[in-house]
Amino acid sequence: MDKKQDYGQEFLYAENLLSKGAYQAVKVKIAEVIEPNRLRSANGKPIEKYVLKFDGKNKMLVLCKTNESVLHFVCGGGPSEWIGKEVTLAVREVEAFGEQVVAIRVMPVGVKIRKGLMKRLGTPAQLASG
């Protein structure tokens, strides 16, 4: 069974940040934070996580626990306080479901974070050669 969740075409995936043969980091401004269970994925099931909408962007980001933790740390407070904040989205290689995968991470800029959280953010993703 494939454990990667397919939420649908209106959501961001690592491959959406590919440009000219490399993953690109993108600075975005949070326009809206949608509460868990307010949206449904492509298969009709409720999305049980926070979802971010960004100014001027068509695709939304479903937050994993790591990205939610980073936002709490970097932006402070609860999800309503994240609106209007700028963040950088980057593709990183991370451990998930017992294997190395690529994932979008909300990256802290200009702040120090604890080692454990930094480790969960993974390493910069590279395209496989060949």
Side-chain angles (χ1 to χ4, degrees):
M1 179 173 110
D2 182 9
K3 293 184 181 180
K4 179 180 177 183
Q5 179 69 44
D6 183 6
Y7 293 107
Q9 292 183 10
E10 63 269 22
F11 297 94
L12 271 173
Y13 300 95
E15 359 357 304
N16 297 125
L17 298 181
L18 269 174
S19 178
K20 300 177 185 173
Y23 292 110
Q24 305 296 315
V26 178
K27 189 181 235 184
V28 292
K29 187 175 188 178
I30 300 170
E32 184 179 349
V33 180
I34 301 169
E35 297 285 325
N37 299 308
R38 300 244 353 252
L39 295 176
R40 295 191 175 274
S41 63
N43 66 7
K45 290 184 180 178
I47 297 173
E48 298 174 343
K49 301 174 181 183
Y50 287 102
V51 175
L52 300 182
K53 282 188 175 184
F54 304 106
D55 282 348
K57 306 293 182 190
N58 295 327
K59 294 192 181 271
M60 298 176 280
L61 180 66
V62 177
L63 293 181
C64 64
K65 288 182 182 190
T66 298
N67 284 338
E68 186 179 337
S69 294
V70 169
L71 283 168
H72 278 291
F73 181 80
V74 174
C75 298
S80 63
E81 294 182 41
W82 305 344
I83 297 169
K85 301 286 195 296
E86 287 189 343
V87 295
T88 298
L89 305 178
V91 177
R92 309 285 283 190
E93 289 185 29
V94 300
E95 175 82 22
F97 311 114
E99 61 183 330
Q100 286 293 113
V101 298
V102 291
I104 295 176
R105 289 293 192 236
V106 174
M107 298 302 294
V109 178
V111 296
K112 283 191 151 244
I113 60 173
R114 59 189 162 82
K115 262 191 207 181
L117 184 53
M118 194 61 191
K119 184 177 180 181
R120 287 177 32 207
L121 291 176
T123 58
Q126 309 269 330
L127 290 179
S129 58

